[in-house]
Amino acid sequence: MPLTLKDLGLADPAYAFGGSYIMSLDAGTTSVRAVIFDEFGGVVAQASRPLTMYYPEPGWVEQDPTEILASMISAIVEVQFRSGIHSDSIAAVGISNQRETCVVWDRESGQPVYNAIGWQCRRTAREAQRLIDEGLGDTIRERCGLTPDAYFSATKIAWILDNVSGARELAEAGKLVFGTIDTWLIYNLTGGTVVATDYTNASRTMLFNIHTLDWDDELLRIFDIPRAMMPELKWSADDYGCVSAEIMTHTPPIAGVAGDQQASLFGHCCFNPGDTKNTYGTGCFMLMNTGDAVVDSHEGLLATVGIAEGGRVSYALEGSIFHAGSVMQWLRDGLGILGDVTDSSAIAKSQLDNRGCYLVPAFSGLGAPWWDSDARGIICGLTAAADRSTIVRAACESLAYQTYDVLRAMERDSGRTLEALSVDGGASRNEFIMQFQADILGIPVISTESVETTALGAAYLAGLSVGYWEDRDELLSNRTGGGRYEPLTGPEAEARRERNLAGWHDAVARARR
Ligand code: ADP
C-alpha cells in the first residue's frame, strides 16, 4: 500500500499545497483587489484594478461582468508576480464581493445576456413599491428579512428576464444562470464547473428564506423567477471547486465566500451575539451579530445572515447610512473647501466645539433608521463667526451622529447594550471622527490595524475551511490593536453629549421638513 499524505505529514491541505498563504479576492463596487495574507492575518502583497460604472439612464447603474472578471484575473496574476508567491504556495482562495449586484448568463457559452445591474440601480423602484402597495411587504419580510426595495437582486433579475429578448424562455428551460458577483467569479475561475453562492450573499437577493436556508418557492413565485436559474447554496467556508490551471497553475481551492459587509464582520472577529462593527466607507454599514435570533426590526433595520461558518448560522441586524466618507469628498470636490479628505481631522480639531453648527448629509434622502427619501441635506446654526473649519467639523461630526442613531436603533431592536464598537473603512483613519464617535456613544471605539478587514474576513473563511487556521480562537489571537478611543466621561462630557445630540436631532427634523 502506498504511503498516504498523512503518513508523509502532508495531511493538512496547507502543506499538501506546499502553501503557507491565503489569497483573498475582494470584488468591490469601484475596484477589484487580490490580497495575499500570511498566517498572522498580515497583508503580504496586493494588486487592484479600478472598474468602470455605466449610467445608461438617470438612476440606472450597470457594470460590465467581463471587465470585472478580466480585472480580477489580472490582479491575481499581478499579486503573484509582485510578491514572488505563486499558486503552489497558496493554500486556499477566499472571495468577498459587492452584494446584490446581479448577472445573468448563458450556462453553455458563459456569455452574460445583459450587463451586471448594480446594487445602487433604481430602475425597478416602481416595481418594488408596487409589491408594498399590494400588501406583500410582510410576507416578503418574514421570509427573507428584507423590506421590498430595488436595492436587492430579485427585481433586477426579473427586469432582465422581462426586457432581454428570449431570456425568460431560456431561464425556464434551465439554460440561464443568475448569480451575484461571487457566483460569476466562481463559475469563471473554476472553468464553468461550479455554479454556487454562499448563504450571506443569498440573503441579499430577496429570494432566500433565511429560516430554512434555501431558495424560497413563494418568493420565487412572487418575483416570477424560475428556480432552474438559481445557483447552488453553500456555507461561507465550504468547497467551491478549484481555480482552473489556466488561471492559477497549481489550482488552489476556493474555500471561503461572503458578501463584503459580512466578510468584514468575520474579519473583525464579531463572532458573539452583540458584537458589532461599523465600516466607514463611502457610506456606513453597521452589522450587529444577533446569534440564533432573526430580529424583526421595528427601527428600520434589516435582518440578514451574518456568519455562515462552522455548521451554524449567526444572523445580523444591518443598518445602512448613505453618505459618510462621501461627505468629505463633497467638501473637497463640491464646495472646494478641503484640499485632501485626510486634512479633515486636523481642521476639525482646530475648533474647540461645533459652535452650534450641524450638517445633515441627506443628499439622497436619509437611510437607516429614518428611511426618508424626501429628506434633503442642510447646514444649520451658522453665525458670522462660522468659517471653513466650522463646516468641516460639522461634516465630520455628522458621521458620528448618524452612526449613533443606527446603533441606538440596533440596541432597541436587539435588547442588547453595546460595550464597544469595532470600526474599519477609509474614514475610520480620521482620528477626530473616531474620538468624537466614542464621546457621543459613551463607549470605546476600536479600529483595526489593517483597513483590509473585508478581504481578511474572506481569507479567514477560506483558511478555516482548509485547516490553514484551526478555529476561531486562532483568529482571535491574530488580532493586533489598531487605535482605541476611550470616551470622555464626567458631568461636563455628559452635558456636552446631550447638547450635541439635541442639536443634531433638531437639524435632522429640519432636513425632513
Ligand atoms: P469604499 O469601500 O466605500 O470605496 P473606503 O473604505 O475605501 O470606501 O473609504 C473611502 C471613503 O473614506 C471616501 O469617501 C473618503 O472620502 C473617506 N476618507 C478616506 N480617508 C478619510 C479621512 N482621513 N477622513 C475622512 N474621510 C476619509
Side-chain angles (χ1 to χ4, degrees), residues 26 28-31 119 260-261 279-283 285 324-330 332 338 340-345 396 399 424-431 433 451 454:
D26 181 11
T29 306
T30 53
S31 66
W119 57 269
D260 52 10
Q261 298 307 323
T279 300
Y280 297 76
T282 311
F285 289 92
S326 58
V327 185
M328 303 301 146
Q329 291 165 272
W330 177 70
R332 185 192 61 199
L338 208 54
D340 190 302
V341 294
T342 56
D343 298 339
S344 55
S345 183
C396 287
L399 274 66
D424 68 321
S428 73
R429 305 289 125 200
N430 183 310
E431 286 179 11
I433 298 177
V451 283
T454 302

Side-chain angles (χ1 to χ4, degrees), residues 8-231:
L8 296 169
L10 297 173
D12 181 339
Y15 295 108
F17 279 96
S20 38
Y21 300 92
I22 301 285
M23 184 184 286
S24 190
L25 309 179
D26 181 11
T29 306
T30 53
S31 66
V32 295
R33 289 175 314 138
V35 187
I36 294 179
F37 287 97
D38 65 21
E39 59 187 296
F40 305 107
V43 174
V44 177
Q46 57 176 310
S48 69
R49 296 280 180 281
L51 295 176
T52 318
M53 311 286 292
Y54 299 96
Y55 306 99
E57 291 193 27
W60 290 30
V61 182
E62 295 182 4
Q63 288 187 299
D64 176 357
T66 56
E67 184 195 355
I68 295 174
L69 175 64
S71 304
M72 186 58 96
I73 292 173
S74 89
I76 292 172
V77 172
E78 183 186 326
V79 78
Q80 293 177 81
F81 276 95
R82 212 178 241 215
S83 61
I85 296 167
H86 294 277
S87 62
D88 55 342
S89 302
I90 301 293
V93 174
I95 296 177
S96 59
N97 57 287
Q98 56 164 314
R99 307 170 302 171
E100 298 101 11
T101 296
C102 109
V103 188
V104 175
W105 67 95
D106 186 295
R107 202 181 283 276
E108 277 300 306
S109 71
Q111 288 296 328
V113 301
Y114 191 78
N115 266 345
I117 301 187
W119 57 269
Q120 322 91 313
C121 185
R122 304 302 301 169
R123 79 183 64 190
T124 52
R126 213 178 302 152
E127 177 59 16
Q129 187 56 46
R130 188 183 61 75
L131 296 167
I132 295 173
D133 295 344
E134 285 177 8
L136 286 166
D138 284 348
T139 310
I140 293 174
R141 199 179 166 83
E142 276 159 23
R143 288 162 185 267
C144 67
L146 310 171
T147 305
D149 193 276
Y151 175 31
F152 308 107
S153 317
T155 57
K156 301 179 200 289
I157 308 170
W159 188 93
I160 291 179
L161 297 185
D162 290 336
N163 289 277
V164 175
S165 169
R168 185 164 289 286
E169 294 72 35
L170 287 171
E172 271 158 14
K175 296 199 167 144
L176 297 187
V177 180
F178 150 72
T180 35
I181 297 299
D182 54 318
T183 309
W184 170 245
L185 290 176
I186 293 162
Y187 171 86
N188 283 286
L189 294 179
T190 60
T193 57
V194 179
V195 180
T197 191
D198 87 303
Y199 293 147
T200 68
N201 274 295
S203 75
R204 314 299 298 181
T205 59
M206 222 168 210
L207 298 168
F208 178 73
N209 189 311
I210 57 174
H211 309 279
T212 62
L213 303 180
D214 196 3
W215 300 120
D216 186 287
D217 286 325
E218 178 64 9
L219 294 175
L220 289 166
R221 192 191 61 73
I222 290 171
F223 290 98
D224 201 9
I225 292 169
R227 198 180 175 109
M229 72 188 300
M230 303 306 286

